[in-house]
């Protein structure tokens, strides 16, 4: 059972998706915010970070809520609508691929989480993040391993980030249909890599990623045509 604060607040791992927020709230840490990202492993498209504070009690229980990666696209869309209806506050930060290249993936992720959490109103009294600690928030926090599977506010943030990013990638597919962004959402698949090799990187590919940099090193600096507008 992990310790959540200096007062030794303990939460059983099998206590349910909403146990962390409720335990923290009973101990005076309310509201509790969660933050998570989508697109960290993609070689094209933006990095998107979501943050959310769910309403207390039954009103904040989101039907079908889970880690966004475990949901079907239709289930994610349904969960997204429910999160929008039940969140006290939410925000989303979109980091374009050239910024990921310039700043670095991990640093871009942490900066975006900090920005997303800072936009929440009301401001959180405690922050739960998926995987990585975020400093400089002025409130206590906990980085949780697979937090989107054990804490509701992180799962809600995961859904916000994933649905937002998937919609962006479908829009980018309309501009750059040769890459199949609507199918793989910018992640590295065999079809995506074949298209990348055949056409070179598009303007929305991350050139700091090894598979993209490899194509560039072979002499193909990038897409030579025009996007489909």
């Amino acid at each position: 059972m992990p310790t959540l604060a200096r007062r030794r607040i303990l939460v059983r791992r099998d206590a349910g998706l909403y146990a962390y927020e409720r335990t923290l709230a009973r101990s005076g840490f309310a509201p509790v915010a969660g933050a998570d990202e989508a697109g960290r492993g993609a070689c094209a498209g933006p990095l998107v970070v979501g943050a959310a504070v769910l309403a207390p009690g039954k009103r904040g229980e989101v039907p079908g809520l889970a880690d966004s990666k475990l949901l079907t696209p239709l289930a994610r869309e349904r969960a997204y609508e429910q999160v929008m209806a039940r969140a006290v506050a939410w925000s989303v930060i979109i980091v374009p691929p050239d910024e990921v290249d310039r700043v670095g993936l991990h640093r871009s992720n942490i900066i975006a989480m900090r920005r997303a959490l800072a936009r929440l109103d009301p401001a959180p009294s405690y922050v739960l993040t998926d995987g990585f600690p975020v400093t400089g928030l002025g409130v206590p926090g906990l980085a949780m391993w697979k937090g989107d599977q054990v804490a509701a506010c992180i799962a809600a943030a995961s859904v916000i980030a994933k649905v937002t990013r998937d919609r962006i990638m479908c829009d980018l597919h309309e501009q750059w249909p040769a890459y199949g962004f609507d199918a793989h959402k910018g992640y590295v698949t065999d079809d995506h890599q074949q298209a990348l090799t055949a056409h070179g990187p598009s303007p929305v590919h991350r050139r700091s990623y090894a598979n993209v940099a490899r194509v560039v090193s072979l002499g193909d600096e990038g897409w030579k045509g025009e996007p489909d507008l």
Side-chain angles (χ1 to χ4, degrees), residues 197-216:
T197 301
H199 303 290
S202 73
V204 297
H205 277 91
R206 302 176 188 174
R207 281 159 171 75
S208 58
Y209 277 50
N211 66 312
V212 181
R214 192 178 306 116
V215 173
V216 172

Side-chain angles (χ1 to χ4, degrees), residues 84 137 146 167 179 197 202 209:
M84 294 295 102
L137 298 173
K146 294 188 176 180
R167 291 174 178 179
Y179 299 96
T197 301
S202 73
Y209 277 50

Side-chain angles (χ1 to χ4, degrees), residues 83-125:
V83 168
M84 294 295 102
R86 295 168 187 266
V88 172
W90 65 274
S91 67
V92 64
I93 299 294
I94 299 169
V95 185
D98 59 341
E99 186 173 334
V100 173
D101 287 337
R102 185 177 69 254
V103 177
L105 175 64
H106 181 69
R107 187 159 174 250
S108 294
N109 193 17
I110 298 302
I111 291 171
M113 281 192 174
R114 192 178 294 125
R115 289 172 59 199
L117 290 162
R119 286 188 178 183
L120 295 175
D121 184 14
S125 296

